[in-house]
């Protein structure tokens, strides 16, 4: 059986309200539909600036964003499988900015995603570990990103309106057969090619 490369997607985002529509309306539904064809790298860092000498991170939307990014980084660190941590991120994306100031929001989302909130919170509160994750995710953020969410699909900056359809097309282009969760139009086009 021939190996088919999954469609690679990297999403750089911040935990503020501007990126929420893409997560809840496009990325998470696509993952639920065809997650098995995706190689998703999720980067909760956004437009933050890191100062390696002072060991500080300054987030575009302030400390609440930095804290929420750290919670998401810790969820990924403690639960590296996308299927495990993406429901947590999706839940947070459904919350308003004011709710991201409350520990109860993170606990609620961890619980609904089936994650251990105590592990995530301990990671968040561990200054050394939190710093190492900020450094790691800063390194995963493309230098040329201009806004968030900054979505890259198979090496190209993604700026379309049909993420699921385009993801399926990328998978087919990589030699795969469009799975059941792909839009019918994608499947039909694939048969004609």
């Amino acid at each position: 059986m021939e190996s088919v490369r999954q469609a690679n997607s990297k999403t750089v985002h911040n935990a503020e309200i501007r990126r929420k529509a893409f997560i809840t309306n496009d990325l998470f539904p696509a993952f639920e539909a065809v997650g098995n064809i995706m190689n998703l790298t999720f980067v909760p860092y956004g437009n933050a600036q890191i100062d390696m000498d002072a060991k500080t991170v300054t987030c575009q939307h302030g400390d609440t964003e930095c804290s929420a990014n750290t919670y998401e980084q810790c969820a990924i660190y403690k639960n590296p499988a996308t299927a495990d941590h993406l429901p947590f991120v999706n839940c947070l994306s459904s919350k308003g900015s004011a709710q991201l100031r409350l520990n109860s929001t993170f606990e609620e989302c961890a619980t609904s995603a089936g994650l251990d909130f105590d592990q995530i919170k301990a990671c968040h509160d561990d200054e050394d570990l939190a710093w190492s994750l900020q450094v790691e995710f800063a390194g995963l953020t493309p230098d040329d990103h201009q806004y968030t969410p900054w979505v890259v699909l198979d090496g190209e900056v993604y700026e379309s309106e049909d993420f699921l359809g385009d993801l399926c097309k990328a998978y087919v282009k990589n030699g795969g057969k469009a799975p059941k969760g792909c839009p019918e139009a994608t499947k039909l086009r694939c048969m004609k090619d």
Side-chain angles (χ1 to χ4, degrees):
M1 185 165 139
E2 192 173 318
S3 176
V4 176
R5 183 175 62 81
Q6 292 176 308
N8 291 305
S9 177
K10 178 183 265 189
T11 302
V12 176
H13 76 278
N14 62 44
E16 273 296 317
I17 199 153
R18 290 168 185 80
R19 60 91 183 184
K20 294 176 185 234
F22 177 74
I23 303 296
T24 58
N25 297 337
D26 298 298
L27 183 65
F28 190 70
F31 189 80
E32 285 187 311
V34 295
N36 61 321
I37 71 167
M38 295 174 72
N39 177 22
L40 177 63
T41 303
F42 208 70
V43 185
Y45 189 76
N47 296 320
Q49 300 296 314
I50 194 164
D51 183 332
M52 298 297 284
D53 295 328
K55 283 192 161 185
T56 59
V57 177
T58 305
C59 291
Q60 181 180 6
H61 302 104
D63 292 340
T64 299
E65 176 188 329
C66 280
S67 177
N69 286 347
T70 301
Y71 271 111
E72 290 181 350
Q73 292 165 1
C74 286
I76 292 168
Y77 173 74
K78 292 292 185 178
N79 307 277
T82 304
D84 294 335
H85 64 256
L86 193 56
F88 175 74
V89 173
N90 184 60
C91 177
L92 291 177
S93 295
S94 71
K95 306 297 181 187
S97 294
Q99 290 174 295
L100 295 179
R101 292 180 174 82
L102 307 172
N103 272 342
S104 60
T105 299
F106 298 99
E107 185 170 11
E108 172 194 329
C109 288
T111 300
S112 72
L115 304 181
D116 184 336
F117 176 70
D118 292 335
Q119 281 188 344
I120 295 169
K121 175 108 172 78
C123 169
H124 175 274
D125 294 346
D126 180 330
E127 289 184 21
D128 292 332
L129 180 54
W131 171 251
S132 71
L133 291 173
Q134 290 287 359
V135 171
E136 177 184 339
F137 284 92
L140 292 172
T141 303
D143 291 335
D144 64 343
H145 91 280
Q146 299 168 13
Y147 48 83
T148 61
W150 186 256
V151 181
V152 178
L153 182 59
D154 271 357
E156 300 293 324
V157 175
Y158 179 78
E159 296 180 351
S160 182
E161 296 292 320
D162 181 20
F163 184 73
L164 176 59
D166 291 337
L167 177 69
C168 290
K169 288 178 203 171
Y171 183 68
V172 170
K173 183 179 174 187
N174 292 338
K177 180 181 176 196
K180 183 179 180 182
C182 287
E184 287 300 315
T186 303
K187 292 178 187 175
L188 294 174
R189 267 181 280 184
C190 297
M191 289 181 203
K192 292 179 183 177
D193 289 344

